Amino acid sequence: SSFHVPLFFSHPKIPQIEVDSPVLSTQILPTLLDLLIETSSMDEQSTKILNDLLPLYEGQSMLRPLITEQDGKQEWHFSTMNPGGTWVSMRSAAKPYRLVVPLVADASWRFTNVVKDPLELSPEEDLDVITLIDVVQNTAGVDAARWLTEAAHVAQWWILDNRRRWKFDPENPEFSNGLIV
């Protein structure tokens, strides 16, 4: 979703397709399960098990059209940007924007339209997300600013949820590196 990495699946019973929409590594296993089901590669009992397992995975199968938004909720894609833990990158499958969210106090928020600027050579950047929203509204329009506002909210939830999930405590002196809450 944030980086272009080629991936190739091959099976003699499926036609050639090319997926151009943003995808995540979490979509690989659901795609493999879906391939096994659709090509009748498994016996009946195994196919039933795969059909029961498939909805339990977070990612969507790449064999199906990507559901970009459902019940007013966008399909969000997250990825870490560097081993130093400075940024998290996020996209929505429903919109052509990408937001890079800082995890440290002295790093910038970064907004790009990956369709208009696929190499992201002209991002909008600011240390403050509120200021960035104003800049994006003036340069990219109201829709982009609304997306950015929602993305910042979702990013905050995602970061806090992952801290909870991985029992990360920024108050612990071992982790005191100025993380933004």
Side-chain angles (χ1 to χ4, degrees):
S1 68
S2 292
F3 305 101
H4 298 279
V5 179
L7 183 62
F8 179 78
F9 294 105
S10 177
H11 194 287
K13 293 183 179 179
I14 60 168
Q16 181 176 334
I17 62 169
E18 186 172 327
V19 177
D20 290 327
S21 57
V23 297
L24 293 171
S25 59
T26 57
Q27 291 178 264
I28 295 171
L29 186 56
T31 301
L32 291 173
L33 296 177
D34 201 10
L35 274 170
L36 292 171
I37 292 167
E38 288 302 313
T39 58
S40 302
S41 297
M42 309 295 285
D43 62 37
E44 189 176 324
Q45 182 179 1
S46 297
T47 299
K48 182 182 178 337
I49 292 169
L50 292 179
N51 276 314
D52 290 343
L53 282 175
L54 195 55
L56 300 177
Y57 286 94
E58 187 175 320
Q60 299 179 36
S61 170
M62 290 180 258
L63 297 183
R64 313 274 173 216
L66 182 65
I67 300 168
T68 60
E69 193 171 344
Q70 188 169 16
D71 300 326
K73 294 179 185 148
Q74 297 181 54
E75 171 77 10
W76 294 99
H77 298 174
F78 294 89
S79 57
T80 54
M81 291 293 292
N82 65 353
T86 306
W87 294 285
V88 168
S89 170
M90 61 184 295
R91 287 194 58 194
S92 159
K95 301 287 183 178
Y97 311 124
R98 182 161 87 115
L99 177 63
V100 177
V101 180
L103 298 174
V104 293
D106 60 346
S108 294
W109 292 77
R110 183 177 182 194
F111 171 87
T112 51
N113 181 323
V114 296
V115 171
K116 291 182 179 176
D117 184 12
L119 298 177
E120 300 183 82
L121 299 175
S122 302
E124 298 292 349
E125 295 182 275
D126 203 288
L127 290 172
D128 179 65
V129 70
I130 302 301
T131 305
L132 181 61
I133 291 168
D134 290 339
V135 169
V136 166
Q137 183 165 335
N138 291 329
T139 60
V142 174
D143 182 58
R146 277 193 204 120
W147 180 89
L148 175 54
T149 301
E150 183 176 356
H153 177 75
V154 171
Q156 181 181 25
W157 165 83
W158 189 84
I159 291 165
L160 292 173
D161 188 58
N162 275 281
R163 285 181 180 173
R164 178 199 54 78
R165 182 185 316 179
W166 298 105
K167 297 177 176 54
F168 176 79
D169 179 8
E171 299 299 319
N172 183 332
E174 182 180 337
F175 297 115
S176 62
N177 61 353
L179 287 166
I180 296 172
V181 175

